PDB file of all heavy atoms in Angstrom:
ATOM      1  N   LEU W1251      79.317  44.607 100.231  1.00 85.00           N
ATOM      2  CA  LEU W1251      79.080  45.492 101.381  1.00 85.00           C
ATOM      3  C   LEU W1251      77.592  45.552 101.716  1.00 85.00           C
ATOM      4  O   LEU W1251      77.206  45.487 102.889  1.00 85.00           O
ATOM      5  CB  LEU W1251      79.623  46.889 101.087  1.00 85.00           C
ATOM      6  CG  LEU W1251      79.575  47.894 102.221  1.00 85.00           C
ATOM      7  CD1 LEU W1251      80.363  47.405 103.429  1.00 85.00           C
ATOM      8  CD2 LEU W1251      80.112  49.231 101.749  1.00 85.00           C
ATOM      9  N   ASN W1252      76.749  45.646 100.692  1.00 89.00           N
ATOM     10  CA  ASN W1252      75.298  45.661 100.925  1.00 89.00           C
ATOM     11  C   ASN W1252      74.834  44.375 101.589  1.00 89.00           C
ATOM     12  O   ASN W1252      73.974  44.400 102.475  1.00 89.00           O
ATOM     13  CB  ASN W1252      74.542  45.880  99.614  1.00 89.00           C
ATOM     14  CG  ASN W1252      74.599  47.313  99.157  1.00 89.00           C
ATOM     15  OD1 ASN W1252      74.834  48.223  99.948  1.00 89.00           O
ATOM     16  ND2 ASN W1252      74.403  47.537  97.880  1.00 89.00           N
ATOM     17  N   GLU W1253      75.411  43.244 101.170  1.00 90.00           N
ATOM     18  CA  GLU W1253      75.046  41.965 101.788  1.00 90.00           C
ATOM     19  C   GLU W1253      75.446  41.953 103.266  1.00 90.00           C
ATOM     20  O   GLU W1253      74.678  41.509 104.119  1.00 90.00           O
ATOM     21  CB  GLU W1253      75.697  40.793 101.057  1.00 90.00           C
ATOM     22  CG  GLU W1253      75.290  39.455 101.653  1.00 90.00           C
ATOM     23  CD  GLU W1253      75.940  38.276 100.978  1.00 90.00           C
ATOM     24  OE1 GLU W1253      77.190  38.189 100.991  1.00 90.00           O
ATOM     25  OE2 GLU W1253      75.200  37.432 100.457  1.00 90.00           O
ATOM     26  N   LYS W1254      76.627  42.460 103.567  1.00 88.00           N
ATOM     27  CA  LYS W1254      77.080  42.509 104.962  1.00 88.00           C
ATOM     28  C   LYS W1254      76.154  43.378 105.810  1.00 88.00           C
ATOM     29  O   LYS W1254      75.807  43.021 106.935  1.00 88.00           O
ATOM     30  CB  LYS W1254      78.517  43.030 105.044  1.00 88.00           C
ATOM     31  CG  LYS W1254      79.543  42.043 104.565  1.00 88.00           C
ATOM     32  CD  LYS W1254      80.942  42.625 104.603  1.00 88.00           C
ATOM     33  CE  LYS W1254      81.946  41.632 104.051  1.00 88.00           C
ATOM     34  NZ  LYS W1254      83.311  42.146 104.042  1.00 88.00           N
ATOM     35  N   ILE W1255      75.751  44.516 105.268  1.00 90.00           N
ATOM     36  CA  ILE W1255      74.846  45.404 105.995  1.00 90.00           C
ATOM     37  C   ILE W1255      73.514  44.705 106.246  1.00 90.00           C
ATOM     38  O   ILE W1255      72.956  44.779 107.342  1.00 90.00           O
ATOM     39  CB  ILE W1255      74.649  46.730 105.223  1.00 90.00           C
ATOM     40  CG1 ILE W1255      75.950  47.539 105.231  1.00 90.00           C
ATOM     41  CG2 ILE W1255      73.495  47.536 105.810  1.00 90.00           C
ATOM     42  CD1 ILE W1255      75.974  48.705 104.262  1.00 90.00           C
ATOM     43  N   LYS W1256      73.018  43.998 105.229  1.00 92.00           N
ATOM     44  CA  LYS W1256      71.748  43.288 105.391  1.00 92.00           C
ATOM     45  C   LYS W1256      71.883  42.184 106.440  1.00 92.00           C
ATOM     46  O   LYS W1256      71.000  42.012 107.276  1.00 92.00           O
ATOM     47  CB  LYS W1256      71.284  42.716 104.054  1.00 92.00           C
ATOM     48  CG  LYS W1256      69.852  42.254 104.095  1.00 92.00           C
ATOM     49  CD  LYS W1256      69.226  42.243 102.733  1.00 92.00           C
ATOM     50  CE  LYS W1256      67.743  41.980 102.878  1.00 92.00           C
ATOM     51  NZ  LYS W1256      67.064  41.973 101.615  1.00 92.00           N
ATOM     52  N   ILE W1257      72.974  41.428 106.416  1.00 92.00           N
ATOM     53  CA  ILE W1257      73.199  40.373 107.409  1.00 92.00           C
ATOM     54  C   ILE W1257      73.182  40.968 108.811  1.00 92.00           C
ATOM     55  O   ILE W1257      72.556  40.424 109.726  1.00 92.00           O
ATOM     56  CB  ILE W1257      74.530  39.631 107.140  1.00 92.00           C
ATOM     57  CG1 ILE W1257      74.387  38.731 105.911  1.00 92.00           C
ATOM     58  CG2 ILE W1257      74.963  38.802 108.353  1.00 92.00           C
ATOM     59  CD1 ILE W1257      75.679  38.166 105.405  1.00 92.00           C
ATOM     60  N   LEU W1258      73.854  42.094 108.976  1.00 90.00           N
ATOM     61  CA  LEU W1258      73.909  42.735 110.302  1.00 90.00           C
ATOM     62  C   LEU W1258      72.555  43.276 110.737  1.00 90.00           C
ATOM     63  O   LEU W1258      72.325  43.476 111.931  1.00 90.00           O
ATOM     64  CB  LEU W1258      74.946  43.858 110.289  1.00 90.00           C
ATOM     65  CG  LEU W1258      76.397  43.393 110.304  1.00 90.00           C
ATOM     66  CD1 LEU W1258      77.341  44.549 110.012  1.00 90.00           C
ATOM     67  CD2 LEU W1258      76.744  42.753 111.644  1.00 90.00           C
ATOM     68  N   SER W1259      71.650  43.496 109.789  1.00 93.00           N
ATOM     69  CA  SER W1259      70.330  44.020 110.147  1.00 93.00           C
ATOM     70  C   SER W1259      69.439  42.948 110.779  1.00 93.00           C
ATOM     71  O   SER W1259      68.472  43.266 111.456  1.00 93.00           O
ATOM     72  CB  SER W1259      69.625  44.625 108.929  1.00 93.00           C
ATOM     73  OG  SER W1259      69.198  43.618 108.040  1.00 93.00           O
ATOM     74  N   PHE W1260      69.779  41.681 110.568  1.00 93.00           N
ATOM     75  CA  PHE W1260      69.004  40.598 111.171  1.00 93.00           C
ATOM     76  C   PHE W1260      69.414  40.415 112.621  1.00 93.00           C
ATOM     77  O   PHE W1260      70.604  40.361 112.944  1.00 93.00           O
ATOM     78  CB  PHE W1260      69.197  39.288 110.401  1.00 93.00           C
ATOM     79  CG  PHE W1260      68.612  39.316 109.017  1.00 93.00           C
ATOM     80  CD1 PHE W1260      69.426  39.252 107.896  1.00 93.00           C
ATOM     81  CD2 PHE W1260      67.237  39.414 108.827  1.00 93.00           C
ATOM     82  CE1 PHE W1260      68.896  39.281 106.623  1.00 93.00           C
ATOM     83  CE2 PHE W1260      66.692  39.438 107.555  1.00 93.00           C
ATOM     84  CZ  PHE W1260      67.522  39.373 106.455  1.00 93.00           C
ATOM     85  N   GLN W1261      68.437  40.308 113.511  1.00 90.00           N
ATOM     86  CA  GLN W1261      68.710  40.209 114.945  1.00 90.00           C
ATOM     87  C   GLN W1261      69.235  38.839 115.353  1.00 90.00           C
ATOM     88  O   GLN W1261      70.158  38.740 116.146  1.00 90.00           O
ATOM     89  CB  GLN W1261      67.438  40.523 115.746  1.00 90.00           C
ATOM     90  CG  GLN W1261      66.946  41.939 115.575  1.00 90.00           C
ATOM     91  CD  GLN W1261      67.929  42.962 116.101  1.00 90.00           C
ATOM     92  OE1 GLN W1261      68.487  42.790 117.171  1.00 90.00           O
ATOM     93  NE2 GLN W1261      68.158  44.016 115.346  1.00 90.00           N
ATOM     94  N   SER W1262      68.636  37.772 114.811  1.00 94.00           N
ATOM     95  CA  SER W1262      68.996  36.435 115.296  1.00 94.00           C
ATOM     96  C   SER W1262      70.009  35.752 114.379  1.00 94.00           C
ATOM     97  O   SER W1262      70.084  36.037 113.172  1.00 94.00           O
ATOM     98  CB  SER W1262      67.751  35.556 115.418  1.00 94.00           C
ATOM     99  OG  SER W1262      67.299  35.139 114.148  1.00 94.00           O
ATOM    100  N   ALA W1263      70.747  34.820 114.956  1.00 95.00           N
ATOM    101  CA  ALA W1263      71.718  34.029 114.207  1.00 95.00           C
ATOM    102  C   ALA W1263      71.017  33.208 113.131  1.00 95.00           C
ATOM    103  O   ALA W1263      71.513  33.065 112.013  1.00 95.00           O
ATOM    104  CB  ALA W1263      72.487  33.119 115.159  1.00 95.00           C
ATOM    105  N   GLU W1264      69.835  32.685 113.466  1.00 95.00           N
ATOM    106  CA  GLU W1264      69.090  31.877 112.502  1.00 95.00           C
ATOM    107  C   GLU W1264      68.680  32.703 111.289  1.00 95.00           C
ATOM    108  O   GLU W1264      68.806  32.256 110.146  1.00 95.00           O
ATOM    109  CB  GLU W1264      67.850  31.265 113.154  1.00 95.00           C
ATOM    110  CG  GLU W1264      67.108  30.323 112.244  1.00 95.00           C
ATOM    111  CD  GLU W1264      65.968  29.584 112.934  1.00 95.00           C
ATOM    112  OE1 GLU W1264      66.047  29.335 114.151  1.00 95.00           O
ATOM    113  OE2 GLU W1264      64.992  29.259 112.222  1.00 95.00           O
ATOM    114  N   GLU W1265      68.213  33.934 111.498  1.00 95.00           N
ATOM    115  CA  GLU W1265      67.844  34.803 110.379  1.00 95.00           C
ATOM    116  C   GLU W1265      69.056  35.087 109.487  1.00 95.00           C
ATOM    117  O   GLU W1265      68.938  35.093 108.258  1.00 95.00           O
ATOM    118  CB  GLU W1265      67.281  36.126 110.897  1.00 95.00           C
ATOM    119  CG  GLU W1265      65.899  36.049 111.494  1.00 95.00           C
ATOM    120  CD  GLU W1265      65.458  37.379 112.065  1.00 95.00           C
ATOM    121  OE1 GLU W1265      66.240  38.022 112.812  1.00 95.00           O
ATOM    122  OE2 GLU W1265      64.320  37.788 111.765  1.00 95.00           O
ATOM    123  N   ARG W1266      70.202  35.307 110.101  1.00 95.00           N
ATOM    124  CA  ARG W1266      71.415  35.576 109.328  1.00 95.00           C
ATOM    125  C   ARG W1266      71.788  34.376 108.467  1.00 95.00           C
ATOM    126  O   ARG W1266      72.092  34.518 107.278  1.00 95.00           O
ATOM    127  CB  ARG W1266      72.576  35.934 110.260  1.00 95.00           C
ATOM    128  CG  ARG W1266      72.420  37.286 110.915  1.00 95.00           C
ATOM    129  CD  ARG W1266      73.582  37.613 111.816  1.00 95.00           C
ATOM    130  NE  ARG W1266      73.322  38.869 112.523  1.00 95.00           N
ATOM    131  CZ  ARG W1266      74.209  39.495 113.260  1.00 95.00           C
ATOM    132  NH1 ARG W1266      75.426  38.998 113.420  1.00 95.00           N
ATOM    133  NH2 ARG W1266      73.901  40.630 113.854  1.00 95.00           N
ATOM    134  N   LEU W1267      71.777  33.191 109.073  1.00 96.00           N
ATOM    135  CA  LEU W1267      72.135  31.988 108.325  1.00 96.00           C
ATOM    136  C   LEU W1267      71.139  31.724 107.202  1.00 96.00           C
ATOM    137  O   LEU W1267      71.537  31.420 106.072  1.00 96.00           O
ATOM    138  CB  LEU W1267      72.216  30.780 109.262  1.00 96.00           C
ATOM    139  CG  LEU W1267      72.522  29.440 108.587  1.00 96.00           C
ATOM    140  CD1 LEU W1267      73.871  29.476 107.875  1.00 96.00           C
ATOM    141  CD2 LEU W1267      72.487  28.310 109.608  1.00 96.00           C
ATOM    142  N   MET W1268      69.866  31.843 107.480  1.00 94.00           N
ATOM    143  CA  MET W1268      68.844  31.578 106.459  1.00 94.00           C
ATOM    144  C   MET W1268      68.929  32.590 105.311  1.00 94.00           C
ATOM    145  O   MET W1268      68.764  32.233 104.140  1.00 94.00           O
ATOM    146  CB  MET W1268      67.444  31.579 107.073  1.00 94.00           C
ATOM    147  CG  MET W1268      67.198  30.388 107.963  1.00 94.00           C
ATOM    148  SD  MET W1268      67.528  28.853 107.066  1.00 94.00           S
ATOM    149  CE  MET W1268      67.153  27.667 108.318  1.00 94.00           C
ATOM    150  N   PHE W1269      69.199  33.848 105.615  1.00 94.00           N
ATOM    151  CA  PHE W1269      69.376  34.849 104.562  1.00 94.00           C
ATOM    152  C   PHE W1269      70.583  34.484 103.700  1.00 94.00           C
ATOM    153  O   PHE W1269      70.520  34.515 102.468  1.00 94.00           O
ATOM    154  CB  PHE W1269      69.563  36.246 105.163  1.00 94.00           C
ATOM    155  CG  PHE W1269      70.017  37.269 104.154  1.00 94.00           C
ATOM    156  CD1 PHE W1269      69.128  37.775 103.216  1.00 94.00           C
ATOM    157  CD2 PHE W1269      71.336  37.702 104.126  1.00 94.00           C
ATOM    158  CE1 PHE W1269      69.544  38.699 102.259  1.00 94.00           C
ATOM    159  CE2 PHE W1269      71.760  38.628 103.179  1.00 94.00           C
ATOM    160  CZ  PHE W1269      70.861  39.126 102.242  1.00 94.00           C
ATOM    161  N   TYR W1270      71.690  34.134 104.350  1.00 94.00           N
ATOM    162  CA  TYR W1270      72.923  33.779 103.644  1.00 94.00           C
ATOM    163  C   TYR W1270      72.678  32.581 102.725  1.00 94.00           C
ATOM    164  O   TYR W1270      73.128  32.563 101.577  1.00 94.00           O
ATOM    165  CB  TYR W1270      74.010  33.483 104.669  1.00 94.00           C
ATOM    166  CG  TYR W1270      75.423  33.622 104.175  1.00 94.00           C
ATOM    167  CD1 TYR W1270      75.992  34.871 103.950  1.00 94.00           C
ATOM    168  CD2 TYR W1270      76.213  32.499 103.964  1.00 94.00           C
ATOM    169  CE1 TYR W1270      77.304  34.998 103.517  1.00 94.00           C
ATOM    170  CE2 TYR W1270      77.527  32.607 103.534  1.00 94.00           C
ATOM    171  CZ  TYR W1270      78.066  33.854 103.308  1.00 94.00           C
ATOM    172  OH  TYR W1270      79.364  33.979 102.879  1.00 94.00           O
ATOM    173  N   LEU W1271      71.940  31.588 103.231  1.00 94.00           N
ATOM    174  CA  LEU W1271      71.589  30.421 102.416  1.00 94.00           C
ATOM    175  C   LEU W1271      70.712  30.828 101.227  1.00 94.00           C
ATOM    176  O   LEU W1271      70.930  30.369 100.106  1.00 94.00           O
ATOM    177  CB  LEU W1271      70.864  29.380 103.276  1.00 94.00           C
ATOM    178  CG  LEU W1271      71.747  28.400 104.039  1.00 94.00           C
ATOM    179  CD1 LEU W1271      70.972  27.746 105.171  1.00 94.00           C
ATOM    180  CD2 LEU W1271      72.336  27.361 103.096  1.00 94.00           C
ATOM    181  N   SER W1272      69.737  31.699 101.475  1.00 92.00           N
ATOM    182  CA  SER W1272      68.826  32.110 100.403  1.00 92.00           C
ATOM    183  C   SER W1272      69.571  32.859  99.292  1.00 92.00           C
ATOM    184  O   SER W1272      69.210  32.755  98.120  1.00 92.00           O
ATOM    185  CB  SER W1272      67.688  32.973 100.952  1.00 92.00           C
ATOM    186  OG  SER W1272      68.156  34.268 101.299  1.00 92.00           O
ATOM    187  N   GLN W1273      70.618  33.594  99.649  1.00 92.00           N
ATOM    188  CA  GLN W1273      71.396  34.339  98.658  1.00 92.00           C
ATOM    189  C   GLN W1273      72.300  33.427  97.827  1.00 92.00           C
ATOM    190  O   GLN W1273      72.844  33.841  96.812  1.00 92.00           O
ATOM    191  CB  GLN W1273      72.249  35.413  99.351  1.00 92.00           C
ATOM    192  CG  GLN W1273      71.429  36.491 100.028  1.00 92.00           C
ATOM    193  CD  GLN W1273      70.572  37.250  99.042  1.00 92.00           C
ATOM    194  OE1 GLN W1273      71.072  37.906  98.155  1.00 92.00           O
ATOM    195  NE2 GLN W1273      69.261  37.151  99.197  1.00 92.00           N
ATOM    196  N   ARG W1274      72.445  32.165  98.282  1.00 93.00           N
ATOM    197  CA  ARG W1274      73.311  31.198  97.606  1.00 93.00           C
ATOM    198  C   ARG W1274      72.533  29.971  97.148  1.00 93.00           C
ATOM    199  O   ARG W1274      73.052  28.861  97.153  1.00 93.00           O
ATOM    200  CB  ARG W1274      74.457  30.812  98.533  1.00 93.00           C
ATOM    201  CG  ARG W1274      75.465  31.943  98.640  1.00 93.00           C
ATOM    202  CD  ARG W1274      76.267  31.936  99.918  1.00 93.00           C
ATOM    203  NE  ARG W1274      77.158  33.082  99.941  1.00 93.00           N
ATOM    204  CZ  ARG W1274      76.759  34.333 100.205  1.00 93.00           C
ATOM    205  NH1 ARG W1274      75.500  34.599 100.481  1.00 93.00           N
ATOM    206  NH2 ARG W1274      77.620  35.339 100.199  1.00 93.00           N
ATOM    207  N   ASN W1275      71.278  30.198  96.791  1.00 92.00           N
ATOM    208  CA  ASN W1275      70.407  29.132  96.276  1.00 92.00           C
ATOM    209  C   ASN W1275      70.332  27.918  97.196  1.00 92.00           C
ATOM    210  O   ASN W1275      70.289  26.778  96.737  1.00 92.00           O
ATOM    211  CB  ASN W1275      70.850  28.700  94.868  1.00 92.00           C
ATOM    212  CG  ASN W1275      70.730  29.824  93.874  1.00 92.00           C
ATOM    213  OD1 ASN W1275      69.740  30.564  93.880  1.00 92.00           O
ATOM    214  ND2 ASN W1275      71.733  29.990  93.038  1.00 92.00           N
ATOM    215  N   GLY W1276      70.365  28.176  98.514  1.00 93.00           N
ATOM    216  CA  GLY W1276      70.164  27.109  99.491  1.00 93.00           C
ATOM    217  C   GLY W1276      71.379  26.249  99.776  1.00 93.00           C
ATOM    218  O   GLY W1276      71.263  25.201 100.428  1.00 93.00           O
ATOM    219  N   GLU W1277      72.558  26.672  99.324  1.00 94.00           N
ATOM    220  CA  GLU W1277      73.766  25.873  99.568  1.00 94.00           C
ATOM    221  C   GLU W1277      74.963  26.775  99.849  1.00 94.00           C
ATOM    222  O   GLU W1277      75.239  27.716  99.105  1.00 94.00           O
ATOM    223  CB  GLU W1277      74.074  24.984  98.362  1.00 94.00           C
ATOM    224  CG  GLU W1277      75.277  24.105  98.570  1.00 94.00           C
ATOM    225  CD  GLU W1277      75.521  23.151  97.408  1.00 94.00           C
ATOM    226  OE1 GLU W1277      74.616  22.961  96.571  1.00 94.00           O
ATOM    227  OE2 GLU W1277      76.635  22.613  97.336  1.00 94.00           O
ATOM    228  N   ILE W1278      75.657  26.457 100.935  1.00 95.00           N
ATOM    229  CA  ILE W1278      76.870  27.207 101.290  1.00 95.00           C
ATOM    230  C   ILE W1278      78.041  26.227 101.311  1.00 95.00           C
ATOM    231  O   ILE W1278      77.982  25.183 101.960  1.00 95.00           O
ATOM    232  CB  ILE W1278      76.757  27.855 102.686  1.00 95.00           C
ATOM    233  CG1 ILE W1278      75.534  28.768 102.782  1.00 95.00           C
ATOM    234  CG2 ILE W1278      78.034  28.622 103.017  1.00 95.00           C
ATOM    235  CD1 ILE W1278      75.261  29.249 104.207  1.00 95.00           C
ATOM    236  N   ARG W1279      79.102  26.591 100.608  1.00 93.00           N
ATOM    237  CA  ARG W1279      80.379  25.866 100.701  1.00 93.00           C
ATOM    238  C   ARG W1279      81.354  26.820 101.378  1.00 93.00           C
ATOM    239  O   ARG W1279      81.401  27.992 101.046  1.00 93.00           O
ATOM    240  CB  ARG W1279      80.893  25.479  99.324  1.00 93.00           C
ATOM    241  CG  ARG W1279      80.000  24.471  98.634  1.00 93.00           C
ATOM    242  CD  ARG W1279      80.525  24.117  97.249  1.00 93.00           C
ATOM    243  NE  ARG W1279      79.612  23.256  96.547  1.00 93.00           N
ATOM    244  CZ  ARG W1279      79.662  21.929  96.588  1.00 93.00           C
ATOM    245  NH1 ARG W1279      80.595  21.332  97.305  1.00 93.00           N
ATOM    246  NH2 ARG W1279      78.792  21.208  95.913  1.00 93.00           N
ATOM    247  N   PHE W1280      82.128  26.306 102.338  1.00 93.00           N
ATOM    248  CA  PHE W1280      83.001  27.180 103.125  1.00 93.00           C
ATOM    249  C   PHE W1280      84.309  26.489 103.459  1.00 93.00           C
ATOM    250  O   PHE W1280      84.407  25.261 103.426  1.00 93.00           O
ATOM    251  CB  PHE W1280      82.285  27.642 104.399  1.00 93.00           C
ATOM    252  CG  PHE W1280      81.680  26.514 105.195  1.00 93.00           C
ATOM    253  CD1 PHE W1280      82.403  25.878 106.184  1.00 93.00           C
ATOM    254  CD2 PHE W1280      80.387  26.090 104.936  1.00 93.00           C
ATOM    255  CE1 PHE W1280      81.856  24.839 106.902  1.00 93.00           C
ATOM    256  CE2 PHE W1280      79.825  25.053 105.652  1.00 93.00           C
ATOM    257  CZ  PHE W1280      80.563  24.417 106.644  1.00 93.00           C
ATOM    258  N   LYS W1281      85.336  27.297 103.759  1.00 90.00           N
ATOM    259  CA  LYS W1281      86.657  26.777 104.111  1.00 90.00           C
ATOM    260  C   LYS W1281      86.652  26.162 105.502  1.00 90.00           C
ATOM    261  O   LYS W1281      87.230  25.126 105.735  1.00 90.00           O
ATOM    262  CB  LYS W1281      87.713  27.887 104.044  1.00 90.00           C
ATOM    263  CG  LYS W1281      88.021  28.367 102.657  1.00 90.00           C
ATOM    264  CD  LYS W1281      89.175  29.346 102.671  1.00 90.00           C
ATOM    265  CE  LYS W1281      88.622  30.746 102.684  1.00 90.00           C
ATOM    266  NZ  LYS W1281      89.614  31.789 102.642  1.00 90.00           N
ATOM    267  N   SER W1282      86.006  26.874 106.438  1.00 90.00           N
ATOM    268  CA  SER W1282      85.918  26.400 107.821  1.00 90.00           C
ATOM    269  C   SER W1282      84.680  27.024 108.450  1.00 90.00           C
ATOM    270  O   SER W1282      84.184  28.051 107.981  1.00 90.00           O
ATOM    271  CB  SER W1282      87.174  26.790 108.609  1.00 90.00           C
ATOM    272  OG  SER W1282      87.200  28.188 108.809  1.00 90.00           O
ATOM    273  N   LEU W1283      84.205  26.404 109.514  1.00 91.00           N
ATOM    274  CA  LEU W1283      83.048  26.945 110.210  1.00 91.00           C
ATOM    275  C   LEU W1283      83.386  28.317 110.799  1.00 91.00           C
ATOM    276  O   LEU W1283      82.546  29.204 110.846  1.00 91.00           O
ATOM    277  CB  LEU W1283      82.582  25.971 111.300  1.00 91.00           C
ATOM    278  CG  LEU W1283      81.116  26.062 111.693  1.00 91.00           C
ATOM    279  CD1 LEU W1283      80.197  25.917 110.499  1.00 91.00           C
ATOM    280  CD2 LEU W1283      80.777  25.025 112.735  1.00 91.00           C
ATOM    281  N   SER W1284      84.637  28.483 111.200  1.00 90.00           N
ATOM    282  CA  SER W1284      85.078  29.783 111.742  1.00 90.00           C
ATOM    283  C   SER W1284      84.977  30.879 110.682  1.00 90.00           C
ATOM    284  O   SER W1284      84.528  31.990 110.970  1.00 90.00           O
ATOM    285  CB  SER W1284      86.517  29.699 112.253  1.00 90.00           C
ATOM    286  OG  SER W1284      86.593  28.833 113.353  1.00 90.00           O
TER     287      SER W1284
END
């Protein structure tokens, strides 16, 4: 929940993606882009 709140605090899509990457040691594995 704290991570979701932090993601929502970023204004731009790029900031959100970069934060998400930083929290996962620079690598994201996902089921789908959606």
Side-chain angles (χ1 to χ4, degrees):
L1251 185 59
N1252 284 338
E1253 182 181 61
K1254 287 177 183 179
I1255 292 167
K1256 193 156 189 179
I1257 287 169
L1258 286 169
S1259 72
F1260 293 114
Q1261 296 296 316
S1262 75
E1264 185 173 330
E1265 287 176 312
R1266 290 180 185 188
L1267 177 61
M1268 290 305 180
F1269 169 75
Y1270 203 74
L1271 274 161
S1272 73
Q1273 295 299 297
R1274 286 155 182 76
N1275 297 318
E1277 182 176 345
I1278 304 171
R1279 294 179 185 269
F1280 51 90
K1281 290 186 263 182
S1282 70
L1283 205 55
S1284 294

